[in-house]
Every structure is written in C-alpha cells, then in structure tokens.
C-alpha cells in the first residue's frame, strides 16, 4: 500500500515539475499576475494531491491548501479585477473553466470550515476529493492545447482519487 502511494507521489511530483519546466521554456511566465495564478494554482493542486497520499498529515496539508486557494482566489478578485463584481460576473459568463475553480474553492472551504469547527463526524473530507477533481478540471480546461504532460497528470490524479475511494468503500479487497 505504501509503495503505491509513494509511486503516485513521485509520479505527481515529476510530471508537475515537467509541466513547470515546459511552461517556463515557452516563455509563459512573463506576466506577473499570470505567474501568480500559475504557481498558486499548481501549489494548491499539489497540496490537495499530497493530502491524499500522506493521510497522517491530511488535515494540516488541507488547511495549507485552503490558504493557497484563498491566495489564488484573491489574485483573481483583488489583483485582476479590483473587487469589481460586474467585471467578475462578466468574466464568469465568458469563461466556463472558472465555474470549476469556484466549485473547487467552495468544496475546499466547506471541508476546511467543517474541520476547524469540529464536524469530523460528517466525513467532510470527501469534499477534498471533489475539490481536487474540480480543480483538476479547472486546470485542464484553461489549457488551449492538452499536452501529454497535462494528460498524464490528469490521469494520475484521477487514478489516485479512484484508488483512494475504492480503498475506502471496499477495504476487504486487499492491499493493492
């Protein structure tokens, strides 16, 4: 069981690093706000994925992912649009990938608030799976061209989510 989790983490780290190198090599980090979007989004995806792999520290990692998600959302609301709600809603109507980002943030916020207020018995940590899934769709929809790096990353994270859910609901099937 630990071998699969370690392998998934190593694969996730490697593919994430390759995507970052690819984007940097294409000169895609020239705009400071786009750079902040890029890094905060990737860090949030990475932390949510890490919370699935390191269950001992999933609460702490999840809270850190929420803080990075606040940063990512703050870049959009404050730096990019200056709190102008009319412009924000216009942007939401034009770019459908933003819906998945908002859904991801809402799932993560609900999970975090439930964790902080002591609602662990409601099993809100499943919302972290949804947050990661919505965040991944958000990330993949932003790309104009879906490269092999992003495809492998999406399949890897999707397989990790399915594996964790399978292990949770079918624990008697043995260790994979």
């Amino acid at each position: 069981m630990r071998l699969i989790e370690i392998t998934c983490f190593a694969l996730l780290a490697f593919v994430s690093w390759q995507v970052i190198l690819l984007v940097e090599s294409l000169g895609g980090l020239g705009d400071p706000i786009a750079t902040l979007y890029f890094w905060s989004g990737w860090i949030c995806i990475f932390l949510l994925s890490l919370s699935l792999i390191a269950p001992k520290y999933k609460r702490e990692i999840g809270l850190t992912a929420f803080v990075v998600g606040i940063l990512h959302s703050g870049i959009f609301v404050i730096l990019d649009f200056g709190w102008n709600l009319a412009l924000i809603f216009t942007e939401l109507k034009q770019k459908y990938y933003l819906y998945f980002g908002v859904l991801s943030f809402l799932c993560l916020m609900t999970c975090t608030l439930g964790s902080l207020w002591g609602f662990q018995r409601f099993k809100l940590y499943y919302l972290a799976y949804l947050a990661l899934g919505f965040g991944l769709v958000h990330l993949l929809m932003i790309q104009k061209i879906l490269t092999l790096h992003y495809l492998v990353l999406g399949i890897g994270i999707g397989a990790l989510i399915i594996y964790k859910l399978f292990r949770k609901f079918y624990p008697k099937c043995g260790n994979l």
Side-chain angles (χ1 to χ4, degrees), residues 3 14 16 22 29 68 79 85 87-88 90 93-94 96 100-101 103 106 111 115 128 138 140 144 150 160-161:
L3 180 63
F14 175 75
S16 298
L22 175 69
L29 299 179
V68 174
L79 293 180
L85 293 179
L87 286 176
I88 291 171
T90 302
K93 290 178 187 175
Q94 295 173 353
Y96 295 113
F100 291 100
L103 286 172
L106 290 176
C111 189
S115 174
H138 171 73
L140 294 176
K144 290 184 173 52
Y150 285 106
L160 179 63
I161 292 171

Side-chain angles (χ1 to χ4, degrees), residues 150-161:
Y150 285 106
L151 189 61
V152 170
L153 180 73
I155 291 171
I157 291 176
L160 179 63
I161 292 171

Side-chain angles (χ1 to χ4, degrees), residues 39-44 47 63-73:
W39 286 105
S40 61
W42 273 105
I43 291 170
C44 195
L47 287 172
L63 291 174
T64 306
F66 178 65
V67 170
V68 174
I70 289 174
L71 174 70
H72 188 72
S73 301

